Amino acid sequence: MQYVFDEVNTLDKRCYDEFGLSEDILMEHAAASMMQYIQNKFVNNEKILIVCGAGNNGADGIALARLLFSRYNITLYIPFGVASKMAKLQYKRVQLLGVDVLDDLSELGIKDAPNVVVDCLFGSGLSRPLDTQSQNLIKLLNQLYAHKIACDVPSGINREGQITTNCFRANTTITMGALKTQLYSDIAKDYIGNVIVSDLGIQRINYETTTDTFLLDNYDMEVPFRTLQNAHKGKYGHLSVIVGEKKGAGIIACEAGFAFGAGLVTAVAHEDLNLPLHIMQNHTIAPNSTAIAIGMGLGRYELKEVKAILENDIAKVIDADLFYDKIILSVLNKEGVVLTPHPKEFCSLLSLCQIADISVEQLQSNRFKYLRLFGQKYPQTVVLLKGANSLIIYENIVYINNLGTSVLSKGGSGDVLTGLIASLLAQGFNAINSCITASLAHASAANKYEKNNYSLTPTDLIEGIKVL
């Protein structure tokens, strides 16, 4: 996993104060990292348009123009002039070198259309809505048929990861020094492209300090492979899945749990179900159960029974309908509990916990903020907040899974996830590791799906889990 930071100004200052590095040195390395990416990807004499703002993000772009000059066909455009000390310095340097600066983007003819566009307008420090001129410029840049590179953060994404007007749509974002949380808001996912971290004169391990936010990758996934030959089904746990009014949801969770290694899976339901032969059924939780999954498709279920299930000390995953009932308060801050709400359900949970009364839109505008507020009040509860990027919190540490895909935007995908987490809990994994591994496995199986991206079924997803 990689470190992620809310801001990096303090990390830059540490470079100045502790390592004797100047702002100029950091900027030269930022520009050099973009140069190296371009040189590795594009042949000499490619047409490159570099669009620069008035501040230090623009200064990075001006420095890039100097480094690429003569090897590539460079067009430098600075629509708002230069304002910061470093921007003025870098502008003086390109003038001395003889780099031409375009006065008006409309002067670009068809024959001058760029193969590469580099956005150096605003970067990570944007704190206001874009003015009309900036919006029109970004709209024009997005229309160009070219490989698009964003310097630090695509222009239009503000410090909280919001896009208040429009945004540069990058194929690649080269972010400076360290990863930033604003790159991992749900709305940013369609704009950042592939993210590369640039070193700024020292290795990343020296630049970064401690953090409470981490980006997950597939190396963090601990698939429950069986290494012992002397084993039996009881060694791998017994998962009980509460099947409610919408029976399909519970049955999907059963199938997912069995596919991900649970030795035994029992569907708990009031009426007889048409189940696969390997899934058992009972009207009550099996006494040797090691984990419970409850909530998905629950609907109208006897409150007394739900209360008894939640009071059971067995590890459990809670999903869906229970986030609208205050009965869920009884399990918060207990070890071995995983909550898996989508945004609307999480808003209801926040209200029940008297943390915040907000709309889904307000939540989505700053998912990190509200998840952390919940985590501060209930640090022992593991929460997986679903979304384009899933966010997981436990003991005030946030883990980002950005590997999800729109392939998963189908009914039943969340029920598969519940079954995967519950299966690992049943096998003896702790709550946070169960949540991390199941989330990554869920995303990995979806990413390997080879048919049309609108056609995934829960069965397809479960089959993918079998071949990770």
Side-chain angles (χ1 to χ4, degrees):
M1 60 184 73
Q2 300 180 65
Y3 288 13
V4 185
F5 298 86
D6 288 338
E7 56 83 28
V8 296
N9 289 336
T10 54
L11 303 184
D12 286 349
K13 188 174 185 303
R14 179 167 168 264
C15 289
Y16 311 147
D17 296 344
E18 296 185 23
F19 305 131
L21 301 177
S22 66
E23 189 175 20
D24 200 1
I25 290 175
L26 268 64
M27 185 165 289
E28 288 300 317
H29 280 84
S33 68
M34 292 189 286
M35 176 191 70
Q36 184 175 15
Y37 173 82
I38 290 169
Q39 287 181 342
N40 289 341
K41 193 171 181 67
F42 301 100
V43 298
N44 292 354
N45 298 316
E46 289 274 25
K47 298 182 182 69
I48 301 177
L49 170 64
I50 305 173
V51 183
C52 300
N56 280 2
N57 194 252
D60 289 342
I62 299 170
L64 174 64
R66 169 171 49 81
L67 294 174
L68 295 176
F69 185 63
S70 294
R71 182 169 179 175
Y72 293 92
N73 185 346
I74 299 298
T75 299
L76 182 60
Y77 182 47
I78 312 174
F80 311 117
V82 290
S84 74
K85 177 183 176 182
M86 289 305 301
K88 291 175 181 177
L89 176 61
Q90 296 294 357
Y91 185 63
K92 178 180 178 181
R93 289 170 177 170
V94 295
Q95 284 183 310
L96 292 171
L97 187 61
V99 178
D100 290 329
V101 179
L102 190 68
D103 291 327
D104 189 340
L105 205 56
S106 64
E107 294 175 14
L108 277 179
I110 294 177
K111 64 181 179 65
D112 300 315
N115 308 104
V116 181
V117 175
V118 186
D119 159 36
C120 301
L121 282 168
F122 300 109
S124 60
L126 185 65
S127 58
R128 57 177 174 80
L130 298 178
D131 58 36
T132 302
Q133 184 182 356
S134 300
Q135 291 179 50
N136 291 336
L137 174 57
I138 289 172
K139 183 178 179 180
L140 177 60
L141 296 178
N142 284 339
Q143 290 171 347
L144 293 174
Y145 186 75
H147 184 87
K148 299 183 177 69
I149 302 168
C151 173
D152 203 21
V153 170
S155 292
I157 300 175
N158 68 16
R159 292 171 181 171
E160 286 75 44
Q162 303 165 348
I163 298 173
T164 56
T165 49
N166 63 349
C167 183
F168 182 79
R169 194 180 291 271
N171 299 106
T172 302
T173 296
I174 302 176
T175 198
M176 302 309 166
L179 295 172
K180 290 102 179 162
T181 53
Q182 67 199 107
L183 293 169
Y184 299 104
S185 67
D186 276 7
I187 196 170
K189 189 159 187 168
D190 283 316
Y191 295 88
I192 61 173
N194 181 44
V195 177
I196 298 170
V197 179
S198 163
D199 293 333
L200 297 179
I202 53 174
Q203 290 296 314
R204 196 169 158 193
I205 192 172
N206 297 316
Y207 178 81
E208 295 175 337
T209 55
T210 57
T211 182
D212 60 2
T213 309
F214 298 88
L215 179 68
L216 299 171
D217 57 45
N218 279 325
Y219 293 107
D220 299 308
M221 180 170 56
E222 300 177 33
V223 179
F225 294 118
R226 298 183 175 185
T227 56
L228 296 177
Q229 297 303 313
N230 180 22
H232 55 85
K233 60 182 179 288
K235 185 174 183 63
Y236 300 103
H238 188 164
L239 170 61
S240 286
V241 178
I242 311 303
V243 179
E245 189 176 8
K246 297 175 182 175
K247 302 176 185 63
I251 295 171
I252 289 169
C254 287
E255 285 275 53
F258 198 87
F260 211 36
L264 296 163
V265 177
T266 294
V268 180
H270 293 143
E271 56 189 272
D272 291 338
L273 303 171
N274 183 17
L275 295 168
L277 297 178
H278 52 276
I279 305 297
M280 301 181 292
Q281 180 174 352
N282 206 340
H283 297 302
T284 58
I285 293 173
N288 63 339
S289 292
T290 51
I292 298 168
I294 183 172
M296 50 290 167
L298 192 65
R300 294 187 297 273
Y301 209 88
E302 182 62 44
L303 192 61
K304 183 191 292 187
E305 291 181 82
V306 173
K307 185 178 180 183
I309 292 166
L310 294 183
E311 287 175 349
N312 197 310
D313 286 335
I314 300 171
K316 55 184 69 68
V317 184
I318 300 173
D319 191 23
D321 291 347
L322 286 181
F323 296 119
Y324 297 100
D325 195 308
K326 63 182 179 180
I327 196 171
I328 198 170
L329 300 177
S330 65
V331 300
L332 300 182
N333 244 15
K334 290 187 177 180
E335 290 284 352
V337 174
V338 179
L339 311 181
T340 57
H342 61 51
K344 185 178 179 182
E345 292 163 350
F346 191 61
C347 287
S348 175
L349 180 62
L350 290 172
S351 179
L352 289 171
C353 296
Q354 298 183 337
I355 294 172
D357 234 339
I358 57 170
S359 66
V360 172
E361 291 73 21
Q362 288 171 298
L363 170 66
Q364 291 297 92
S365 72
N366 201 332
R367 287 158 58 86
F368 287 94
K369 171 185 173 181
Y370 291 105
L371 185 64
R372 284 171 173 151
L373 286 174
F374 181 90
Q376 289 166 12
K377 188 168 184 177
Y378 301 106
Q380 297 305 310
T381 300
V382 176
V383 178
L384 186 154
L385 176 57
K386 297 171 184 174
N389 295 316
S390 294
L391 304 182
I392 301 166
I393 192 167
Y394 175 62
E395 292 186 337
N396 292 309
I397 297 190
V398 175
Y399 305 89
I400 305 166
N401 179 1
N402 73 323
L403 301 177
T405 163
S406 58
V407 170
L408 289 165
S409 301
K410 300 290 289 290
S413 294
D415 304 317
V416 172
L417 177 60
T418 299
L420 300 180
I421 298 171
S423 179
L424 295 177
L425 287 173
Q427 292 172 72
F429 283 63
N430 65 31
I432 185 60
N433 288 338
S434 295
C435 199
I436 287 172
T437 288
S439 175
L440 291 170
H442 191 249
S444 181
N447 280 307
K448 291 178 181 178
Y449 183 65
E450 295 181 345
K451 297 179 182 178
N452 292 333
N453 66 1
Y454 54 77
S455 64
L456 182 82
T457 68
T459 302
D460 295 323
L461 196 50
I462 292 168
E463 288 303 310
I465 291 295
K466 296 178 182 179
V467 292
L468 290 174

